[in-house]
Amino acid sequence: MIIKLLKQPQAVIGFLFITCLLVFSFYWPSMLDVNKTEALKLQDFLYDDDGRIIDAPPYSPSQVPPLGSDMFGKHIFYQVIDGAKYTILIALGIALFRILFSVGITLINPKSSFSFLNDIVQATLYIPTAILTFIFMNSLIVKQSMEPMSTIKLIVLQCLILIGVGVPPLISTFSSEIKAILNKDYITNSFALGSKKVYVYYKHVLPELSTKLVLLFAQQVVQTLILMAHLGVLAIFIGGSAIVVLGDIFTPMPVAIPLAGEWAGIIGMNFAKIKAAPWAILTPLSFFAVLIFALNLIIQGIQNCLETNKS
């Protein structure tokens, strides 16, 4: 499978881009020779060479190159680069656990049709996943405001919600796939000869599913990234938020500041300033688009491998 994927140039390009972005996100202070604390600090005002105030945030890309600042004067470029690792790792982790839970639950009772899950999937088919997730996430945040919990616990619970909304459709998919594999003659013969379930699953079922698993994993990463972007616009941030009041005493403007640095939080935080500082939203959105494009290249490569296997 890996050797076949290496022969797909689009998959290699997509994988290299994501790997390079991830590595750069961890080591950008040393690679760019900048101080991370200084690069990500708030900047109340912009001063000229004589120390006079010339402007207040948000700063345009021409004032604060290369990509301008947000409403707090923080460099958008450094924020996006630093947040790449959180965005990518959270999406990868959620997609991985969706696949693991779905396959595990299906293998516990592979002969079940999971008709109740199919009914749930059909019933929720026309409800946008972002709205469904928003309802659960908002309830969690309300609970967190009344009974404060640690950031780590909140992130874990939010990730469990994101995992949970993706599991039923995957179980529905895997149940038909696994049943078709188990109905094959050599699998039936293996059971007739006394093979244990664990052995058959490990030796026959999972290898046959491997390519499909990789394909679905990549698709789940894309779906998770899109869902996170939607939640960011709805002001639901992974890891919670703190409220900061901007403006003056006559026109106070409360703004939710995400505590984690992932891209959806940057989008949601700056959404209220979309007209004044469009670069603060367009930059993380562009990175989202390029990352999803890279994942789609990998998916296309995997699909090419699947078609090669069929032919």
Side-chain angles (χ1 to χ4, degrees), residues 42-45 56-59 69-74 242-258 266 268-274 276-277 280:
L42 305 180
Q43 192 172 348
D44 294 335
F45 299 104
Y59 308 121
S69 79
D70 62 12
M71 66 183 77
F72 301 101
K74 293 172 68 176
I243 301 297
V244 174
V245 179
L246 297 179
D248 50 42
I249 57 173
F250 302 107
T251 55
M253 185 177 67
V255 179
I257 306 296
I266 300 173
M269 178 181 67
N270 293 294
F271 193 71
K273 285 281 185 181
I274 189 169

Side-chain angles (χ1 to χ4, degrees), residues 159-276:
C159 288
L160 285 176
I161 291 173
L162 291 172
I163 293 167
V165 296
V167 167
L170 283 175
I171 292 177
S172 180
T173 302
F174 282 128
S175 65
S176 56
E177 292 276 344
I178 291 175
K179 251 193 288 189
I181 295 172
L182 290 176
N183 286 333
K184 290 185 176 179
D185 291 339
Y186 76 96
I187 298 284
T188 309
N189 291 337
S190 293
F191 281 122
L193 291 172
S195 299
K196 299 292 184 185
K197 273 187 179 180
V198 175
Y199 177 82
V200 173
Y201 291 163
Y202 180 71
K203 280 289 184 183
H204 302 301
V205 178
L206 290 179
E208 282 218 25
L209 270 179
S210 60
T211 310
K212 187 82 176 178
L213 288 174
V214 175
L215 177 63
L216 284 171
F217 172 72
Q219 290 174 340
Q220 288 300 311
V221 176
V222 173
Q223 289 182 16
T224 305
L225 288 170
I226 294 172
L227 181 57
M228 287 169 65
H230 289 167
L231 290 174
V233 173
L234 294 170
I236 299 292
F237 307 132
I238 303 295
S241 61
I243 301 297
V244 174
V245 179
L246 297 179
D248 50 42
I249 57 173
F250 302 107
T251 55
M253 185 177 67
V255 179
I257 306 296
L259 298 178
E262 42 86 26
W263 293 345
I266 300 173
I267 293 172
M269 178 181 67
N270 293 294
F271 193 71
K273 285 281 185 181
I274 189 169
K275 291 182 179 176

Side-chain angles (χ1 to χ4, degrees), residues 69-125:
S69 79
D70 62 12
M71 66 183 77
F72 301 101
K74 293 172 68 176
H75 282 258
I76 286 294
F77 175 72
Y78 294 139
Q79 284 188 71
V80 171
I81 290 300
D82 192 60
K85 55 181 174 290
Y86 305 115
T87 309
I88 295 172
L89 292 179
I90 288 173
L92 290 175
I94 288 169
L96 177 65
F97 280 105
R98 280 182 178 178
I99 297 291
L100 289 177
F101 284 141
S102 304
V103 173
I105 292 170
T106 309
L107 287 178
I108 288 172
N109 187 10
K111 293 183 179 178
S112 170
S113 61
F114 292 99
S115 57
F116 69 101
L117 282 176
N118 288 327
D119 293 339
I120 292 174
V121 171
Q122 291 299 323
T124 58
L125 199 59

